[in-house]
Amino acid sequence: MVDAISSPASTRRVAVVTGGNKGIGLEVCRQLAGAGVTVVLTARDEARGAAAAERLKALGLPDVLFHQLDITDAPSIARLADFLKTRFGKLDILVNNAALGAVEYVHETDYGSVTSKEKEKLSGMDMDQRLGWLWENSRETYDTAKKGLQTNYYGTKQVIEACLPLLKASSDGRIVNVSSHFGQLRLFRNEELKRELNDIDDLTQERLDELLDTFLEDFEADAVDSRGWPKYFSAYKVAKAAMNAYSRILAREHPELRVNCVHPGYVRTDMTIHSGLLTPQEGGSRVATAALLPKGGVTGAFFEDFKESSFV
């Protein structure tokens, strides 16, 4: 019998999950593998990524492979694409999960942890209060904003572009971009910006680049508020809004693919300093469900709480 993982002609579905070594990404890997999908778990750090893949195999999920990937490094992306082409000849599911918070955390404890006293304080807070606490423990600088856009938008875009030929080689290629309700256009106070980002019939990738350049210029000039960009976690919100718009452009340009965005919820992960309301399992299930939608389903959509929602 031919090993399903090693056979390029295999009929098994193949998925790539970026940022798959922990949090939401790891949970998406687990759930997809549990659904019979061969999963390529990717991470920047080889040791952590390989260890994560081994943990999933120990759970009885043998069809999980690790491959190193830094979504901001073009050679790393090219190596992944070459591996997928040689090993499988196609890609059925691309889950773009890797992202940064685009802020520096000024928390007094180690990154990703909170004290027992703070956990008790958080337990009595609703979502808005928790987000306020997270913002109070964050600092947004020009460098973090620029790095956030490079990773959350341009890095993800580079991965998608490299994988497009492999996705087209699938009979049911699909892209799931892990987004956020922070990317919804209601958070933009500049009506012209909102109109442009929502005008999917005319919006181009080139115009998106121009808008992101303008955002960075405004950020550097301390003009984010006066120009009507989103306040608080500005770069994260702008990057997610741009990725939402790009996803809709892709869906328009490639109707043979399913291209959708998912808000996993406010999840307890390192990025939120574990202040979220949902577990990684709960957040991951929202993403995995979108990745496993029936063939021929919706494209160019935004999902929230397992249902289609609005980009606005």
Side-chain angles (χ1 to χ4, degrees), residues 3-10 14 38 40 57 64-67 80-90 166:
D3 184 347
I5 281 187
S6 62
S7 171
S10 171
V14 179
T38 295
V40 181
K57 289 179 181 179
V64 177
L65 297 154
F66 169 69
H67 199 284
L80 173 67
D82 288 344
F83 166 79
L84 294 169
K85 182 178 181 181
T86 301
R87 190 74 173 261
F88 304 107
K90 64 166 185 172
L166 293 157

Side-chain angles (χ1 to χ4, degrees), residues 27 32 48 64 92 120-121 143 149 168 182 208 260:
E27 189 57 34
L32 292 182
R48 292 176 181 174
V64 177
D92 301 292
E120 184 178 347
K121 184 198 302 182
D143 286 341
L149 293 187
K168 290 180 181 179
F182 267 9
L208 268 178
N260 294 305

Side-chain angles (χ1 to χ4, degrees), residues 25 43 61 66 84 94 114 134 154 172 227 257 270:
L61 301 169
F66 169 69
L84 294 169
L94 172 61
V114 292
L134 186 62
Y154 289 107
D172 186 25
R227 298 291 175 85
L257 302 177
D270 286 352

Side-chain angles (χ1 to χ4, degrees), residues 94-251:
L94 172 61
V95 178
N96 291 300
N97 166 74
L100 297 174
V103 292
E104 292 177 353
Y105 291 108
V106 294
H107 204 261
E108 64 184 21
T109 58
D110 290 338
Y111 175 66
S113 64
V114 292
T115 64
S116 57
K117 183 178 180 180
E118 286 166 323
K119 284 181 181 177
E120 184 178 347
K121 184 198 302 182
L122 285 167
S123 68
M125 295 182 180
D126 61 20
M127 185 180 74
D128 288 339
Q129 291 170 325
R130 290 177 184 226
L131 286 169
W133 175 90
L134 186 62
W135 177 249
E136 289 172 2
N137 284 280
S138 306
R139 179 173 58 242
E140 193 171 35
T141 68
Y142 177 78
D143 286 341
T144 63
K146 185 176 181 180
K147 188 174 182 181
L149 293 187
Q150 288 297 331
T151 301
N152 297 352
Y153 178 70
Y154 289 107
T156 295
K157 183 181 176 183
Q158 287 181 93
V159 173
I160 290 171
E161 290 175 345
C163 290
L164 270 177
L166 293 157
L167 288 159
K168 290 180 181 179
S170 167
S171 62
D172 186 25
R174 51 189 63 195
I175 300 169
V176 177
N177 292 320
V178 179
S179 186
S180 171
H181 63 185
F182 267 9
Q184 289 176 306
L185 297 178
R186 60 185 172 80
L187 299 176
F188 286 70
R189 290 164 296 110
N190 182 316
E191 293 301 321
E192 179 62 21
L193 278 172
K194 288 171 69 172
R195 187 198 65 75
E196 278 206 77
L197 289 168
N198 198 40
D199 184 10
I200 297 307
D201 290 334
D202 294 323
L203 185 64
T204 65
Q205 295 181 36
E206 292 75 19
R207 180 55 181 157
L208 268 178
D209 290 343
E210 291 174 0
L211 290 173
L212 293 179
D213 287 343
T214 299
F215 167 73
L216 283 177
E217 291 169 3
D218 289 344
F219 192 102
E220 191 169 30
D222 197 23
V224 166
D225 191 19
S226 63
R227 298 291 175 85
W229 297 99
K231 295 175 66 176
Y232 315 115
F233 303 104
S234 301
Y236 184 83
K237 291 174 178 175
V238 169
K240 290 301 185 182
M243 182 47 60
N244 287 348
Y246 174 62
S247 299
R248 298 168 81 184
I249 292 171
L250 280 177

